[in-house]
Amino acid sequence: MLDPKEAGAIWQKHFDTVTPEEFVSRVKRVSPDLAQEMWGDRTVEEICAERRRPVRRARRAFASFGRSVLRLFS
């Protein structure tokens, strides 16, 4: 099993270096259902062009992403 501290470091490094365009395209590739729930049928350019939403929305997205990851490994 992966060490939680090591996993946290990997996770943090990813979000420190990923661009919004990369993040959106990866989510669309890995979890189309999550991408549909978060952004609908908009393109990566449309999603990245819109103004950023409050942190509250991002937390819900990560919670949903976390559930998707848990389902993947269960």
Side-chain angles (χ1 to χ4, degrees):
M1 181 176 256
L2 186 61
D3 178 35
K5 289 182 181 180
E6 183 180 343
I10 293 168
W11 187 263
Q12 186 64 47
K13 181 179 180 206
H14 169 74
F15 282 103
D16 287 344
T17 59
V18 72
T19 66
E21 292 82 7
E22 288 174 326
F23 177 76
V24 171
S25 63
R26 287 178 188 168
V27 170
K28 284 185 170 221
R29 181 179 41 112
V30 173
S31 182
D33 293 334
L34 176 63
Q36 180 67 32
E37 181 182 325
M38 290 175 62
W39 301 301
D41 292 327
R42 293 181 292 164
T43 65
V44 174
E45 293 78 22
E46 291 172 328
I47 295 164
C48 293
E50 75 179 22
R51 210 174 72 173
R52 294 191 179 207
R53 302 210 175 176
V55 174
R56 191 171 49 242
R57 170 97 170 134
R59 286 186 184 143
R60 282 193 308 228
F62 285 117
S64 181
F65 181 70
R67 285 191 300 274
S68 295
V69 170
L70 288 175
R71 279 195 304 257
L72 209 138
F73 289 105
S74 61

